[in-house]
Amino acid sequence: MELLTQMINGLSTGGMYALVAIGYTMVYGIAKMINFAHGEIIMVGAYLTYVVFSVLGMPVVAIIASIAGCALLRVVTEKVAYKPLRNSSSLSVLITAIGVSYLLQNLFLILFGSAAITFPDFLPSGQLELLGLSISYVSLLSLILTFACTILLLLFINKTKLGKAMRAVSEDKGAAELMGINVNNTISMTFAIGSGLGAVAGIIYGLSYSLINPYLGAMLGIKAFIAAVLGGIGSIQGAMIGGLIIGVAEAFTVSYISSTFSDAVVFGILIFILLVKPAGLFGQNVREKV
């Protein structure tokens, strides 16, 4: 039972990583860039939920406002900071993403201060008893949202016209534009969807740990990026599986070894996968003509 409990805890945390990793992998798949400012979207989503709930006291409205606010913020950021650099070197884009990350972090530091804020607990108290296991409502919510978001996203990408446009832009931007696809709008939509998922992860974080601060997205974003690399960056299914693996590995390390080594194990997994299978579990090696 102890093993199963830790497994569920790990899957819950991994679900949060997976939602953020999907955002990383979508942006990379479409725009071919690593958006290192994506971790801060988790923080923004948590704070927006806190502010709206504090003012209106309605959880559903707070959640919707957080998702919409993060999506809008990321679309504006893409238009202002990333679009002008679309034909620049990857290093320029990387430096810009890091700059946006620190900009958001310090902006919220000015607005809310460095002290941790108590996140509103709008889930029912207690735990769900299932087959002798006690599962918190936060863990259950995390798992449900992870699988639901992944399935809906895959259906959207594979079955809808907009999703097919995203796949076309991912394959060849020039050819997609010649076929009448608006590449700029497609990329903006990708950023918006990924950021909406990041906002959901921020809400789960707040409900899980009760306290939020302007720095919460830094390490969480890095671990989610590791999950995306582990699953195969560019693969949505891989991002989900990678997030769950990272979460379970972290939970087992904390429970059976020491919390001191949890981060070391996560980074060890990254080094191992880069040495053994650099493309990730579900990634594919692509040959390029030069």
Side-chain angles (χ1 to χ4, degrees):
M1 283 300 175
E2 173 66 21
L3 183 66
L4 288 176
T5 300
Q6 295 304 323
M7 176 71 74
I8 292 172
N9 291 337
L11 291 174
S12 172
T13 305
M16 182 171 59
Y17 293 150
L19 290 172
V20 185
I22 290 171
Y24 273 117
T25 207
M26 284 183 65
V27 170
Y28 180 81
I30 304 297
K32 296 295 182 288
M33 65 165 286
I34 302 297
N35 180 21
F36 275 119
H38 192 59
E40 268 51 55
I41 288 296
I42 311 164
M43 177 268 295
V44 173
Y47 271 98
L48 285 178
T49 306
Y50 163 78
V51 171
V52 176
F53 183 81
S54 299
V55 173
L56 300 178
M58 294 185 285
V60 176
V61 175
I63 292 170
I64 293 173
S66 174
I67 294 172
C70 286
L72 179 61
L73 172 65
R74 186 51 76 205
V75 169
V76 172
T77 303
E78 190 274 329
K79 295 292 186 185
V80 174
Y82 300 142
K83 184 180 176 182
L85 299 174
R86 199 167 289 169
N87 296 320
S88 301
S89 67
S90 56
L91 181 60
S92 299
V93 179
L94 177 63
I95 293 172
T96 302
I98 294 173
V100 172
S101 172
Y102 279 107
L103 173 64
L104 290 173
Q105 194 177 99
N106 283 277
L107 175 62
F108 276 75
L109 190 63
I110 294 170
L111 292 174
F112 296 96
S114 60
I117 295 175
T118 302
F119 192 82
D121 185 10
F122 42 73
L123 284 182
S125 58
Q127 294 184 326
L128 178 67
E129 298 293 332
L130 183 65
L131 301 176
L133 291 173
S134 296
I135 306 173
S136 68
Y137 287 107
V138 177
S139 297
L140 190 62
L141 177 67
S142 176
L143 291 174
I144 291 173
L145 286 176
T146 300
F147 286 102
C149 288
T150 303
I151 292 170
L152 290 174
L153 189 57
L154 288 173
L155 289 173
F156 172 78
I157 289 174
N158 293 311
K159 300 297 182 182
T160 67
K161 187 176 180 179
L162 291 174
K164 291 176 182 177
M166 290 170 63
R167 289 162 56 195
V169 173
S170 175
E171 289 293 330
D172 192 322
K173 290 186 180 67
E177 197 163 19
L178 289 174
M179 296 302 293
I181 295 173
N182 191 318
V183 173
N184 291 328
N185 288 347
T186 303
I187 292 176
S188 295
M189 181 176 62
T190 303
F191 273 87
I193 294 173
S195 298
L197 294 175
V200 174
I203 295 167
I204 293 174
Y205 180 95
L207 292 171
S208 300
Y209 298 101
S210 299
L211 297 174
I212 58 174
N213 63 69
Y215 304 108
L216 70 87
M219 183 55 72
L220 204 159
I222 292 174
K223 290 180 179 178
F225 175 69
I226 292 173
V229 174
L230 172 61
I233 195 158
S235 168
I236 292 174
Q237 304 97 311
M240 186 191 75
I241 298 298
L244 296 177
I245 291 173
I246 293 296
V248 171
E250 195 174 52
F252 281 177
T253 302
V254 170
S255 179
Y256 297 110
I257 303 176
S258 171
S259 59
T260 307
F261 296 102
S262 61
D263 291 346
V265 168
V266 172
F267 286 105
I269 291 174
L270 173 64
I271 294 171
F272 177 78
I273 198 68
L274 289 176
L275 291 173
V276 175
K277 200 174 189 300
L281 298 176
F282 295 89
Q284 296 179 349
N285 292 315
V286 179
R287 293 183 179 181
E288 295 184 0
K289 287 186 176 181
V290 294

